[in-house]
Every structure is written in C-alpha cells, then in structure tokens.
Amino acid sequence: MPAIHLPSAVFSANMLYLQENSQLFLIKSKFMARAPKKETKQEPLEVVLWKTADKLRKNIDAAEYKHVVLGLIFLKYISDTFEAHYNLLVSGEGEFDGADPEDRDEYTAYNVFFVPENARWSYLLNQAKQPNIGKLVDDAMEAIENDNPQLKGVLPKVYARQNLDPTSLGELIDLIGNIALGDAKSRSADVLGHVFEYFLGEFALAEGKQGGQFYTPKSIVSLLVNMLEPYKGRVFDPCCGSGGMFVQSEKFVESHQGLVDDISIYGQESNQTTWRLAKMNLAIRGINSEHVKWNSEGSFLNDAHKDLKADYIIANPPFNVSDWSGDLLKEDARWSLGVPPAGNANFAWMQHFLYHMSPKGQAGVVLAKGALTSKTSGEGEIRKALVSEANVIDCIVNLPAKLFLNTQIPAALWFMRRDRVGSTQYKDRSNEILFIDARNLGHLINRRTKVLSDEDIKLITDTYHNWRNKDGEYEDVAGFCASVPLEKVAELDYVLTPGRYVGLADDEDEFDFKERFTSLKAEFEAQLAEEAKLNQAIAENLAKVIV
C-alpha cells in the first residue's frame, strides 16, 4: 500500500489531523461521523432579557439588584399605559373631545397612573447616557409617588447609589426600553407583567434561601389555585409575599372565561420591602391592591383584616416560626381549638386561617411536613380538633422535596372546607379525608431545585376534583391516593401523613432481574467490541502515517 502523506484536515472517519506551527496534533473522535449542526432555538424574550440584565449586574448583590430592575420594568409599564391614554386624550375623538392630556383627573377616571413629564420613559431614555441618570430616575420615582397617592412609599429610589454604575444603568434602561416595542397590545401588562413575574422568580433563585422569603415557586402557587378554583368571592393571603397567589388567582379566572371583577383580594405582609414588590406586581397586572396592607407587627399581633371572612384563603406562611409572639396572645379569640405553642407558629397559622374562613370558605395552605405528625406542646390535640371537632380537613397532599428556595424542610399542602357537612355544591365527604402522596412527582431544574410540571399539577388537581365534585369519578390508587374514613384517621391517632394511608404502589412492571441483567450485559459487551474495532482502525491508520 502506498505511503500516505499528512493532510491538513479529516482523512478518516475517526481521525482528525491538524497542522499548526509545524506541530502535529492527534484528536481521537468519539463518533463515527460529525453530528449534524443543531438548529439554534430562539429563546423567549424574558430569558434573553434576564441574561442581559444579569450581565449588567456586575458586583451588585441580587437582593439589591432586583429592586433596580423591577423598579425600571414597573416604570416602563406605567409610562406605556400613560402614553397610550395620553394619545387618546390628544386625539380628542368621541368621549375625549375637549379633554386636557395634562389633567390628572382624566387618568384617574380610567385607573391609569399619571406620569409627570420628567418621569416619562421617553425622557429617561433620552437621558440614559448622562452621568447623572441615577438621580434622574430617583427623581422620576419620587415625582410619580407625589402624583399618585396609592403608590406613596412603594417605588424604589436606589438608582443614584455609588455601587450602581451609571453606564450600566443606562444600558439597562435601553434594554428595558426595547421590551415589547410595537402595537399597543404588545406593550400591555401581558408582556411587561410576564417579564416582571419571570424576573421575580429568577431573582428568588439567585438569592437562594433569602429569595424564598418573598417568592413562592410558581408551580406550587398554580397547584394551590387550581385545587381551590377561586372563581368568585374574596381571596385572602395573610402572609402575601410579592403577591403571587393573587396574580395566579386572577390568571385562573381569566383562563376559565370568568370575570376578574368577580374576585377581590385582601392581603397582609410584615416585610415592607416585600410589600412594595407586591404592590408593583399587582399594579402591573392591573389588579386593585387597596386591601393589601403592610404593618411591621404582622398578622398575629396586628391583624389588618380583623372582620374579614374570606371565601378563599391561599397562603404559604413561614415554616416553624418560633418568635411569633405567642406568649402575648394566649387569650386570643382565634385559638378556638387550643392555644398554639409559643415556640412554633404552625397551628397559630391554621387557626388564623380558620378564623377568617366564611361559612362556605375554603383554604389551601403550605405547612412544614412535621405539622402532620407533631404532638409537641398540644399540637397533636389541635390537629385532632381540626379533624374531629371542626371537621374542616378535606385533603392533604405530600409534596416532593426541593420545591422551595428557602428551605429543604419537607412540606405538605392542607386543604380545608367549612361546608364539608351538608354541602350543596360538593359530594358529602364529611366522614372522609383524601390523602395524596405526590413525593415522586416533579423534576429538577438545577441541582437544588425541583418544580411540578403542568401534567403533575393536573394529575393532583383532577384527583381531588374527582373525589370532591358531584360529577366526579374517583377511585383509590395504591401508592398515590386514598379516601380514608375519619375512624381510620382516629385509629392512627390523627397522624395525617399520606404515606400512612395510601400504601405501596402496585408494581405493574413485572421486573425479571435475570432477564434485565442479561440484556444489559449483552449491550455492554457489544459496546466494548465496537470500541475495540475503532481502536484497531485508529492504530492501523497511525501505522500508515509518514512522519
């Protein structure tokens, strides 16, 4: 066979020769042929924006930077809605004939925030490259608050800080200025609200444990809302964080062709910074937040909605809080089923929710899994009373691990109904509790965090609705769900862990170890043989090379 002289590119299916500076490099390929080039998939707008905004963050902590970015998105939103209404007033057509576009009352009448000239996005965009852009944005936020009392104390004024580079701020303004350019529809709350919500989630991930203090993961919120179906009535969250429960409730109504005006929201938050995020999050969605209150004492010491009886309570209270001022509240009227221990607020929250439920009210709440079994300081007696005396426990869902950003503590969902006895809307399940064990559902999105898919949410929701609704067809599924008589729960001393009741899953796959092992062994041996052939081919080609 004639000698083969060194080429400068591929000459074998498994070999690639490169000549660089008269040095020969040999690269062994793992594949017989080069894989076809993958088509580049266009990333969603919010993902592109996040990546760019995060690059501009530089050395600023995520906890601080979120107020910079989310404040600008909010400013862009109110400026866009102002501009759209401003143009209608300028046109002077129809009902706007003779209207003054600089009259604040013309905007208030249509629930549009008035934006003074020095706070309008077009002005700030033109000034974005100026070294004093930080002060200009702070002044804009101040001016908007002065002209819109409902935003007083809500907007961030952090843009002139020394650690925020004016050049990076200008680039961020340019970036946000490009969101949804186009027709009026694309500039609406749909796009900016979606971006705001996505950024909230990404900042929560970036902050890790601290992020969980203001953000409940979207898949958990969706599950709670879809289980309860808040079509109409008063929706209450006494520890509302950044308002995700309210946003998702409004989305649920809209997606089921309901009327958003049929629900009203009530909330309370003790962290003022988080409350500000909630107010912006709701405003950007066009949701009335006048009943979302802040006070530093919190819902136990200073209940902002003492007389409220809510149709739906949706909440994710902080787990196992020990410093909730229980010693000061031992005689509180809310503790109708027993005084909660001063060292743990879990059953204080449960009775707070129960106190605020209307005669036909429902609640879906998150609690640490330990609350299903704990008997410390009277907690077991309160749990027993919730089941037997009050008879409000409708369903318990055991959640997968790693769903929450701020804790690795396992959690469960508790669903309560006031009208379990004699309900005109649902099946009579007054002598049963539905237990769902969802620990095997969900998928990882990174090493530390898991989410529930839409399919997971539908499976859990359909199971509950088929059990609860009059037209539903339900049956127990071993290892996943079981409808359990209260007598059985009493036998197990009112322990509410789903795993105690649902049993083990039926193994439909009749696993044959010998057959499976033989198959895997044969596959592995075939791969070894293929590798040997490739190595032999490479060795033969090397022998033909003249150096």
Side-chain angles (χ1 to χ4, degrees):
M1 183 177 289
I4 300 175
H5 295 279
L6 180 69
S8 58
V10 176
F11 76 92
S12 165
N14 302 294
M15 309 289 296
L16 179 62
Y17 288 94
L18 299 174
Q19 186 140 21
E20 183 178 302
N21 299 327
S22 300
Q23 299 293 319
L24 181 65
F25 294 90
L26 173 65
I27 300 176
K28 179 180 175 181
S29 171
K30 182 180 177 182
F31 302 102
M32 291 294 291
R34 182 175 294 177
K37 190 175 181 180
K38 289 184 179 178
E39 265 186 46
T40 304
K41 187 178 179 181
Q42 189 171 4
E43 292 182 309
L45 169 69
E46 66 272 16
V47 177
V48 176
L49 289 168
W50 169 258
K51 287 181 177 178
T52 308
D54 198 42
K55 283 180 184 176
L56 295 172
R57 175 157 71 100
K58 297 182 178 177
N59 62 339
I60 302 177
D61 185 76
E64 183 179 350
Y65 191 59
K66 73 172 177 282
H67 300 292
V68 174
V69 177
L70 296 175
L72 287 176
I73 294 174
F74 181 76
L75 183 57
K76 173 74 162 61
Y77 159 73
I78 61 172
S79 190
D80 277 1
T81 52
F82 169 85
E83 178 189 304
H85 196 70
Y86 180 89
N87 290 336
L88 286 175
L89 296 174
V90 170
S91 72
E93 296 178 2
E95 62 180 304
F96 301 111
D97 182 28
D100 178 4
E102 295 298 335
D103 181 357
R104 287 158 178 71
D105 292 339
E106 296 283 2
Y107 298 88
T108 305
Y110 290 87
N111 293 317
V112 174
F113 294 111
F114 181 82
V115 181
E117 195 167 348
N118 70 319
R120 293 170 194 172
W121 193 262
S122 54
Y123 171 78
L124 294 172
L125 198 59
N126 288 333
Q127 303 295 320
K129 300 295 186 288
Q130 299 301 317
N132 65 334
I133 182 60
K135 184 177 185 309
L136 293 176
V137 177
D138 280 347
D139 291 345
M141 296 292 186
E142 189 75 44
I144 290 169
E145 286 191 352
N146 289 338
D147 276 310
N148 301 275
Q150 63 271 50
L151 292 177
K152 195 70 178 173
V154 170
L155 304 184
K157 294 170 249 350
V158 297
Y159 298 91
R161 292 183 178 177
Q162 288 186 343
N163 64 339
L164 183 56
D165 173 42
T167 303
S168 295
L169 176 58
E171 291 177 24
L172 191 60
I173 291 171
D174 285 338
L175 173 70
I176 293 171
N178 288 325
I179 296 178
L181 291 178
D183 58 29
K185 169 75 174 160
S186 69
R187 291 199 305 271
S188 71
D190 288 339
V191 175
L192 285 162
H194 180 69
V195 170
F196 192 97
E197 182 181 25
Y198 180 82
F199 274 38
L200 264 177
E202 290 299 309
F203 276 121
L205 278 172
E207 290 185 48
K209 185 174 181 179
Q210 297 301 316
Q213 295 178 3
F214 66 84
Y215 183 80
T216 300
K218 188 178 177 182
S219 65
I220 297 172
V221 178
S222 296
L223 176 56
L224 286 166
V225 169
N226 279 277
M227 291 281 274
L228 290 179
E229 300 182 302
Y231 286 109
K232 187 176 183 177
R234 296 171 296 274
V235 179
F236 179 43
D237 183 352
C239 40
C240 66
S242 54
M245 302 292 188
F246 302 134
V247 170
Q248 201 63 39
S249 296
E250 296 260 347
K251 282 185 183 179
F252 176 85
V253 173
E254 289 173 347
S255 67
H256 290 79
Q257 288 75 51
L259 298 174
V260 171
D261 290 343
D262 282 348
I263 67 171
S264 53
I265 65 167
Y266 296 79
Q268 182 167 349
E269 175 56 46
S270 61
N271 183 306
Q272 188 177 32
T273 302
T274 303
W275 170 78
R276 287 169 178 158
L277 286 176
K279 296 288 278 189
M280 288 193 289
N281 192 19
L282 297 172
I284 208 169
R285 293 283 185 178
I287 300 172
N288 184 343
S289 65
E290 65 176 314
H291 298 303
V292 177
K293 306 293 186 181
W294 166 78
N295 63 55
S296 59
E297 298 96 328
S299 292
F300 292 135
L301 282 176
N302 187 359
D303 188 349
H305 303 284
K306 288 185 176 67
D307 300 323
L308 173 67
K309 298 300 179 184
D311 301 293
Y312 302 95
I313 295 176
I314 315 174
N316 174 23
F319 294 174
N320 302 327
V321 173
S322 59
D323 56 346
W324 64 280
S325 303
D327 286 333
L328 304 176
L329 297 167
K330 287 183 177 179
E331 305 299 322
D332 197 284
R334 287 170 289 184
W335 318 146
S336 60
L337 302 179
V339 179
N344 193 312
N346 287 343
F347 284 95
W349 281 116
M350 289 298 286
Q351 293 189 83
H352 182 76
F353 302 143
L354 188 61
Y355 176 82
H356 281 290
M357 287 166 62
S358 69
K360 292 186 177 182
Q362 302 180 51
V365 302
V366 189
L367 280 187
K369 187 178 173 181
L372 299 172
T373 58
S374 173
K375 296 180 180 180
T376 305
S377 304
E379 288 183 329
E381 290 301 312
I382 298 174
R383 185 174 57 250
K384 174 183 176 180
L386 284 167
V387 174
S388 60
E389 181 182 330
N391 194 3
V392 291
I393 305 299
D394 210 35
C395 175
I396 301 289
V397 180
N398 207 358
L399 293 174
K402 298 186 175 182
L403 287 179
F404 294 88
L405 302 173
N406 59 327
T407 180
Q408 293 300 311
I409 298 173
L413 303 184
W414 297 54
F415 292 92
M416 299 190 289
R417 277 200 297 126
R418 278 279 198 190
D419 66 342
R420 276 169 50 83
V421 177
S423 173
T424 57
Q425 185 177 358
Y426 303 116
K427 284 180 186 176
D428 184 357
R429 294 286 193 181
S430 57
N431 193 44
E432 302 166 75
I433 296 174
L434 177 64
F435 291 94
I436 298 175
D437 192 344
R439 286 176 297 174
N440 293 326
L441 301 183
H443 61 277
L444 289 168
I445 57 171
N446 60 41
R447 184 171 53 84
R448 299 185 308 274
T449 310
K450 187 179 277 190
V451 298
L452 296 170
S453 68
D454 291 342
E455 291 75 19
D456 295 332
I457 292 170
K458 187 176 188 304
L459 174 62
I460 298 169
T461 301
D462 286 351
T463 301
Y464 178 50
H465 292 169
N466 283 328
W467 177 83
R468 181 193 67 177
N469 296 349
K470 287 186 174 180
D471 59 351
E473 296 182 4
Y474 168 85
E475 62 180 35
D476 290 350
V477 177
F480 178 65
C481 62
S483 183
V484 180
L486 297 187
E487 292 80 3
K488 175 70 172 177
V489 177
E491 286 175 15
L492 293 182
D493 204 15
Y494 298 95
V495 167
L496 301 183
T497 308
R500 297 287 296 271
Y501 301 99
V502 303
L504 297 174
D506 294 329
D507 192 356
E508 296 179 2
D509 178 15
E510 295 180 359
F511 182 78
D512 187 321
F513 175 78
K514 184 177 178 181
E515 180 184 335
R516 188 70 60 87
F517 178 78
T518 303
S519 171
L520 290 172
K521 182 171 177 284
E523 183 181 343
F524 180 60
E525 288 172 345
Q527 290 173 345
L528 288 176
E530 182 68 21
E531 182 185 11
K533 287 180 184 178
L534 290 173
N535 287 334
Q536 180 64 28
I538 291 169
E540 289 173 0
N541 283 330
L542 277 173
K544 299 170 187 176
V545 177
I546 296 176
V547 180

